[in-house]
Structure formats: structure tokens, C-alpha cells
Amino acid sequence: LSCLCLQIDIAQSYVIDGSTSSSIISRFHNVQCKLFMTIDQTAPPPVVPTNDDNNAYDDNFASIATGSKLGLPLDVQFTSGACTDFGMNNEALLLGNNDPTATSSLLSLQPLNEPKFVTLSGQQSVKVTPGAYACQISDPETKQFFFRFFLDFPEGATRNDVTLPAERVYFMSSCWIKDDNMIAKARKWKEEFQSSLTLLNTEIEELKKDDTVGLVARTRRFPQYVELLKQRRKLTTQIEMLLERFPLERPLMSGPNGTLFLKDGVVAVKREFGGRTRYHWIGTFSFKDFMDGDEKKKEEEVTKKLMP
């Protein structure tokens, strides 16, 4: 791909009444998470020069796929404490339309390890410093939430021709509340639409093949044929819209406290271009496991008791 640029519409990330996102964000308090980052794209420079004569941004500064990958296992904890760093609290990608001083301010995210990877020079460690996270309603109709967070990698990392930039790195995913059953409902709607579409296609083919009737009869059937084509177009559009709004063909996994997550998300960096902020895809990440902080403590206590 010549360009992997995420066009993020910040205005679409909003809270219905202030309580919707607050109720879901509490489900992640003190939850620990194991995830795996895969970096396989080079990033453009931090500030892309404006060139009105040609599309320098897309032609010369797009993210480019490399031939190698940098895999980093990362453990983090989504805390219940508010993020107190002024710069972090002004990250528009996580805030959406919320004011940084609002009750929906970002919460602190703590790294629990320094990811390691192996090169010809031996094992390398990657320095990670704390960041922040937020969960905002994305689409009230589908009850989908944006789950976004960031961490700072002050020294970056390099493996062969792959580089993790020495800067703030953003992680983007989506989640749902299980009890809403929106994914199950969407799958049921898809099955119903596809079943109706199969019946329509059969009826259309039968009309097309029936050459036993005379010209007058076929002429009378033409409006019926046209109506069936309209219904098929409508059903096809409904299926396409359903697939656009729900991740019915992407892997999901159970999250903490009755949540459901997209298993895979996007890793990006922020770039300025002509006074506009854009987020560039530099790789992906996968959620591997979620664990409540109290569960972790209990597990450690049980382990200590079992030790001789």
C-alpha cells in the first residue's frame, strides 16, 4: 500500500449524556492486559511540509510497508487514577469532543514491563513510560465504543529495516458491552437478510428462465421482475451497511467485566500536515489476555503458599 493514513473524524467521538462512557470506563479500572505489538510500517517525519503544487504528503511521506517486522510483547495496567499530565490530557484522539477539564478526563495507563526483542547483537529492551486511556461512545445505534490509549517510547527501537519511532504511540480498538448483545443481534440480522436474498435470487432466476408463457404473460410479469430487482438491491445494501458498522468478519475476544473487544487493533503515530493532525498506521496489536488487578494479587498469594 502506498499510503496508510487514518482519517480520524474527532467530532464523531462523543458521549451521549456523560454517563454512558463513564459506566463502561469503570469496567477497566485496575485491569492488567497482555498485548502484542507488530510494527511493519515506516513513519513519515513528525511535521510534513506543505506543498501546494503537488500532493507531497501522499507521494513522498506516506507510511511504507517494510520487509521485516518488529514484535514486542507488552504488559500494561489500566488504572483508576486520573491522568494529571497537562499535555496528555489534551490528546484530541482520546478526548473526542470532551473538554480536558470534564469528568471524562483521561485515566492513567501504566506499563508493567520493558518489551524485549532479539537482534544479531543480542537481546534488546525497549523503554516505555506511562500514558493514558479513554473509552468513548462511537455509534449510539450500534453501541460501539472507541477504546484508545497511548504510551511513550522515548528511545524507540530498531530491528533490521523496521523502526518504532522514539515518540508517543497510539493504540486504537473498539469494544461493546456484552449485555447489549449487539454483535449477536447483528449476526442474526445478517442471516435473515442473506436468507431473504437467497429466496429473491431464486425467484428472479425462475422468472428469467420461464419461456413457456407467451409474450403477453411475460409483459405482465415485467413489473414483478423489476420489483424483485429493487428488493434485491435494497437487501444487498442493507448487508453491506451491516458489515460496515459491525465487525462480523473480524475476530473478537471477551474483555474484563462483561465487555467484548476486537482482538486486533491499530498502532499509529501522530503527524502534522498543513495545520491538520493525522494518525499514521505503523502496525497492529493484539489483545492476548485481561486480568483484574485483584485477581493478579490473589494468584501471586496462591503461588507463594504453594512454594516450599
Side-chain angles (χ1 to χ4, degrees):
L1 293 177
S2 60
C3 180
L4 287 170
C5 175
L6 302 175
Q7 298 288 347
I8 302 294
D9 185 357
I10 299 298
Q12 289 183 356
S13 179
Y14 55 91
V15 179
I16 298 175
D17 58 7
S19 63
T20 305
S21 292
S22 298
S23 65
I24 192 172
I25 198 70
S26 63
R27 296 170 185 252
F28 309 119
H29 287 177
N30 301 316
V31 167
Q32 296 180 8
C33 174
K34 292 182 179 292
L35 55 89
F36 191 85
M37 299 171 58
T38 302
I39 308 301
D40 59 4
Q41 307 284 330
T42 60
V47 178
V48 180
T50 303
N51 188 333
D52 295 330
D53 297 330
N54 59 64
N55 195 354
Y57 174 80
D58 287 336
D59 293 343
N60 301 321
F61 298 104
S63 298
I64 302 172
T66 67
S68 303
K69 293 183 179 181
L70 171 61
L72 299 173
L74 182 62
D75 297 348
V76 299
Q77 180 165 5
F78 301 100
T79 76
S80 58
C83 177
T84 57
D85 183 279
F86 178 79
M88 290 184 180
N89 270 324
N90 280 277
E91 284 287 356
L93 180 67
L94 275 66
L95 283 170
N97 280 344
N98 293 318
D99 187 275
T101 60
T103 55
S104 57
S105 292
L106 311 185
L107 297 182
S108 175
L109 175 65
Q110 296 293 325
L112 300 179
N113 72 323
E114 287 192 348
K116 294 179 173 53
F117 66 98
V118 178
T119 67
L120 293 176
S121 302
Q123 184 171 269
Q124 310 294 322
S125 296
V126 182
K127 186 175 181 180
V128 191
T129 59
Y133 74 101
C135 189
Q136 303 288 347
I137 189 73
S138 162
D139 188 336
E141 291 185 1
T142 64
K143 299 184 180 180
Q144 176 182 354
F145 291 82
F146 286 138
F147 188 79
R148 294 169 175 169
F149 55 97
F150 63 79
L151 291 163
D152 289 337
F153 293 80
E155 298 174 2
T158 299
R159 179 180 181 272
N160 298 333
D161 59 344
V162 184
T163 297
L164 173 68
E167 59 184 280
R168 182 160 294 170
V169 176
Y170 301 83
F171 300 76
M172 308 179 199
S173 185
S174 294
C175 64
W176 294 259
I177 296 174
K178 275 185 180 179
D179 289 346
D180 290 334
N181 293 317
M182 291 307 298
I183 302 298
K185 290 176 183 176
R187 285 177 175 149
K188 184 180 179 181
W189 294 332
K190 180 186 174 185
E191 289 177 3
E192 291 174 351
F193 289 157
Q194 288 182 327
S195 178
S196 297
L197 185 60
T198 299
L199 293 174
L200 272 176
N201 284 332
T202 300
E203 199 168 346
I204 289 170
E205 290 302 314
E206 288 176 353
L207 281 176
K208 288 167 65 176
K209 290 189 298 184
D210 191 358
D211 57 0
T212 61
V213 297
L215 178 61
V216 174
R218 287 201 298 271
T219 302
R220 288 174 178 171
R221 288 187 180 186
F222 185 71
Q224 179 188 1
Y225 177 73
V226 172
E227 181 59 29
L228 288 175
L229 290 178
K230 288 181 180 178
Q231 291 181 28
R232 182 168 69 177
R233 261 197 310 272
K234 183 179 179 180
L235 272 174
T236 301
T237 301
Q238 288 176 319
I239 292 173
E240 290 173 352
M241 290 177 63
L242 198 63
L243 292 175
E244 286 178 3
R245 301 185 71 181
F246 291 95
L248 302 183
E249 297 178 356
R250 295 180 61 185
L252 302 170
M253 71 174 292
S254 293
N257 301 311
T259 56
L260 188 66
F261 271 79
L262 280 177
K263 184 171 178 58
D264 302 318
V266 170
V267 178
V269 291
K270 181 166 64 174
R271 293 293 178 262
E272 298 296 330
F273 171 68
R276 295 179 59 191
T277 299
R278 299 190 181 186
Y279 295 85
H280 284 262
W281 180 346
I282 60 169
T284 59
F285 75 95
S286 298
F287 290 112
K288 296 300 181 183
D289 190 23
F290 290 98
M291 181 177 291
D292 185 278
D294 292 335
E295 291 180 5
K296 181 69 174 177
K297 291 177 184 176
K298 290 177 183 177
E299 184 181 274
E300 290 174 351
E301 289 174 1
V302 171
T303 302
K304 288 178 181 177
K305 287 179 180 180
L306 293 175
M307 291 178 65

